[in-house]
Amino acid sequence: MTVQTEIAEKFSKEWVEAWNSHDIDKILSHYTEDFEMSSPLIVSRMGIASGTLKGKEAVREYWCLGLKKQPNLHFETINVCLGANSITINYKGPNGLSAEVFFLNHEGKSYRAYAHYMHYSQ
């Protein structure tokens, strides 16, 4: 097993466990202080047209709102994909099939992430 594989497995396992615990501090422990998050839900929930939040405290507010709106939130990992300096966690959650891309620093913490949700055409 490569170091990158070990980091990906550890991060993804702990990330899903943190979300399933609904413990915001445990969730935020996976991110740097200057963390940047992009998600289509930031547009709809926060009214921020760019869909991007910068800084752990801004993201805390967004995720606290999300946890409040989804009291039964539960993630189930489907798989984890490795990139050069990133990982993608594919999972099932309250928004259906989802994927989040995490750019990781040398400590295994994410400094940038992009959330993607399944889009169904009518």
Side-chain angles (χ1 to χ4, degrees), residues 91-104:
Y91 63 96
K92 291 180 188 173
N95 297 303
L97 296 176
S98 305
E100 292 203 28
V101 179
F102 301 91
F103 293 86
L104 305 177

Side-chain angles (χ1 to χ4, degrees), residues 3 13 17-20 24 28 50 53-54 58 61 64 78 83 97 102 105 122:
V3 172
K13 181 178 184 266
E17 288 173 356
W19 275 103
N20 289 343
I24 192 66
L28 288 168
S50 69
L53 293 171
K54 295 180 182 179
E61 179 183 347
C64 283
I78 297 170
L97 296 176
F102 301 91
N105 68 12
Q122 298 286 353

Side-chain angles (χ1 to χ4, degrees), residues 17-60:
E17 288 173 356
W19 275 103
N20 289 343
S21 77
H22 296 208
D23 181 334
I24 192 66
D25 291 322
K26 193 173 181 181
I27 294 166
L28 288 168
S29 72
H30 295 90
Y31 305 95
T32 61
E33 289 300 320
D34 60 348
F35 172 63
E36 184 177 299
M37 177 73 202
S38 295
S39 168
L41 293 178
I42 291 171
V43 177
S44 61
R45 289 187 181 158
M46 306 296 284
I48 298 171
S50 69
T52 300
L53 293 171
K54 295 180 182 179
K56 207 183 244 190
E57 287 310 306
V59 174
R60 174 188 292 273

Side-chain angles (χ1 to χ4, degrees), residues 35 85-87 101-105 108-114:
F35 172 63
N85 297 303
S86 64
I87 65 169
V101 179
F102 301 91
F103 293 86
L104 305 177
N105 68 12
K109 291 193 180 235
S110 179
Y111 58 88
R112 183 179 305 132
Y114 297 92

